[in-house]
Every structure is written in C-alpha cells, then in structure tokens.
Amino acid sequence: MSSERFPAFFDQVPRLVVRDPLAEFLGAAEGGVFEYGYADAVRLAGHSCPTVASAYALAHHAMTRLFCGELPVRGMVQVGFQHPLDEGVTGVIAAVVGLLTGSAQDGGFKGIAGRFVRRNLQHFGEPQPLALRFSRSDTGATVDAAAELAKVQPHPEMAERMHRCMRGDADAAELQRFGQLWQDRVRRVLVEHWDDPEVFHFSG
C-alpha cells in the first residue's frame, strides 16, 4: 500500500490516457494503454513546482491537440526545445515532457529492429517561435507551446518565508506554511489556470 500523501488538489488535475505501442508489444499493459496524472510527474521530478506543473500541462494539452479525437500515441511525438538542455529549467521540463510523450534524448531506448525508437526524439536549441514544439512523427502535424508563469504570482509572503527557511531561521510551523503557500501556487497554475490562454499559449 502506498504511503504517499500528496496535496488534495493533485486529484483535480486532468489526467492523460495514452497508448504506447512498445508497452503493447512487450505485454507491459493491455492494449498498451497507460494513464498518467500529475503525481507521476512529481514522482519523476522528485518535487512539485510551477515548472513541473507547466511542463505537465503543456505536454498534456499538446498531446490532446495533436491527436484530436483519438487516443494519443506515446513514442510518436518529437519535441523541440527553444533553449539548450543545460539552460535554466529546460532539463526538468524535458524530463516531464518525456514522461508523457515517450520522447527521449540520445540515451533513450534505441528500439527493436528499427521499431519503437525513443532516443533522439528531443532536440534542443531549436529556432522556433515558442519554447516547445511537439511534432507527430507520422503526419508531421505540430503544436507550438509555451507557459507564462509570471501571470500566476506567488503569495506575497512567499519570498520572506523562503529566505527564513533557507537561512534555517524558520520553525516547524513556518516550514509547513511555506510548503502550503508553494503548493497553492502550483494548484492555481494547474487547476484555476488550466485552460487560461494568458498562461498557456499554443499555436498550430
């Protein structure tokens, strides 16, 4: 039995159901069907923050748009990143995006007899209009995407509380309060602004 106790709002975040042909081929899941939730992204990253939240939301929306009216296919999507892998939070975003899309860098799965290849489906430092570009390998259809997290401001107390926590001046109650305020911003990104075009931008 799981001992995880995530914030309650995790269950309010839309989940993504995909079909993974590799999982189907190897008998890992009936029909190759997987269902991902925000908690899976948190497990992967080891934390929950606005960056992880935005990466999950962008990948979820992009997969839904690319496969409109059908089950998204994991492993059939390439992702271009406007920034280099080692710049800022690009690596964190790439990991979460890879979870939902199946795309990987040069260390990813090399395939079986030329099928199910996952490596080199992520490309960095690409000249593109928005931060991310999701492309279907079969049709070439694309969705450009970006998040503007500055539109979802942190609580006014956040900065000072973070400084106190980082300095080691905060007691247990203050540490708990900081965590609550931090996750409340994540909640607002994922629940209140999930479909907000001012926060999440798409084209294509």
Side-chain angles (χ1 to χ4, degrees):
M1 179 180 294
S2 174
S3 60
E4 297 167 325
R5 296 180 62 184
F6 292 122
F9 77 86
F10 280 24
D11 291 333
Q12 297 177 260
V13 182
R15 301 176 67 82
L16 180 68
V17 178
V18 301
R19 181 177 67 84
D20 190 316
L22 176 59
E24 183 177 16
F25 180 68
L26 296 179
E30 184 175 354
V33 176
F34 288 145
E35 182 175 342
Y36 292 98
Y38 179 59
D40 295 311
V42 173
R43 292 185 185 99
L44 175 71
H47 67 287
S48 170
C49 71
T51 295
V52 172
S54 66
Y56 177 87
L58 291 173
H60 187 298
H61 282 299
M63 291 289 277
T64 302
R65 287 167 178 254
L66 280 177
F67 295 88
C68 184
E70 56 184 312
L71 201 61
V73 180
R74 189 174 185 272
M76 195 182 284
V77 175
Q78 299 190 45
V79 186
F81 295 80
Q82 195 176 60
H83 301 293
L85 176 59
D86 60 356
E87 181 177 310
V89 295
T90 303
V92 176
I93 295 170
V96 175
V97 166
L99 174 70
L100 299 188
T101 64
S103 61
Q105 299 154 32
D106 58 6
F109 184 61
K110 65 181 181 180
I112 302 172
R115 298 176 61 195
F116 315 120
V117 176
R118 304 295 168 82
R119 66 170 48 177
N120 295 322
L121 293 183
Q122 293 188 352
H123 310 280
F124 300 88
E126 296 291 304
Q128 56 195 41
L130 297 180
L132 302 175
R133 169 166 287 177
F134 298 81
S135 306
R136 281 182 60 158
S137 300
D138 58 341
T139 66
T142 64
V143 170
D144 290 325
E148 194 170 347
L149 293 174
K151 296 287 187 178
V152 186
Q153 287 292 311
H155 190 281
E157 299 176 17
M158 179 68 73
E160 177 56 28
R161 287 183 180 274
M162 174 176 274
H163 290 321
R164 286 183 56 78
C165 291
M166 296 301 293
R167 291 196 306 262
D169 296 336
D171 59 22
E174 288 178 293
L175 286 167
Q176 182 180 36
R177 176 60 175 164
F178 168 73
Q180 291 170 343
L181 292 177
W182 182 273
Q183 291 307 315
D184 182 66
R185 186 181 182 209
V186 177
R187 179 193 63 78
R188 286 183 282 127
V189 168
L190 287 173
V191 177
E192 296 181 10
H193 295 278
W194 179 262
D195 290 313
D196 187 348
E198 294 294 314
V199 176
F200 297 112
H201 310 304
F202 301 95
S203 65

